[in-house]
């Protein structure tokens, strides 16, 4: 179950980054630097959870 949660968090991070790199069909929640910070933090959390072996 933890692995599934990790993949879902990574997917959420990817969905947050898509509007920032030009894919605007989904729209954007935030703008500017805050949008990048949120997306990158979500991706890092997902990757850290995925690599956690506990």
């Amino acid at each position: 179950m933890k692995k599934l949660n990790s993949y879902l968090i990574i997917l959420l991070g990817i969905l947050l980054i898509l509007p920032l790199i030009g894919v605007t069909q989904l729209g954007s929640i935030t703008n500017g630097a805050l949008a990048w910070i949120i997306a990158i933090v979500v991706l890092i959390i997902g990757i850290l959870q995925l690599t956690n072996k506990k």
Side-chain angles (χ1 to χ4, degrees):
M1 189 68 180
K2 279 189 167 190
K3 203 171 194 178
L4 177 64
N5 287 341
S6 300
Y7 283 123
L8 290 175
I9 291 173
I10 291 173
L11 180 64
L12 176 65
I14 292 170
L15 288 175
L16 287 170
I17 285 181
L18 284 177
L20 300 173
I21 59 173
V23 180
T24 58
Q25 284 80 7
L26 300 174
S28 180
I29 297 173
T30 58
N31 292 324
L34 182 63
W36 281 103
I37 292 169
I38 291 171
I40 290 171
V41 167
V42 168
L43 279 175
I44 290 171
I45 290 171
I47 292 169
L48 289 176
Q49 283 185 0
L50 192 60
T51 59
N52 192 1
K53 303 214 186 241
K54 289 185 179 179

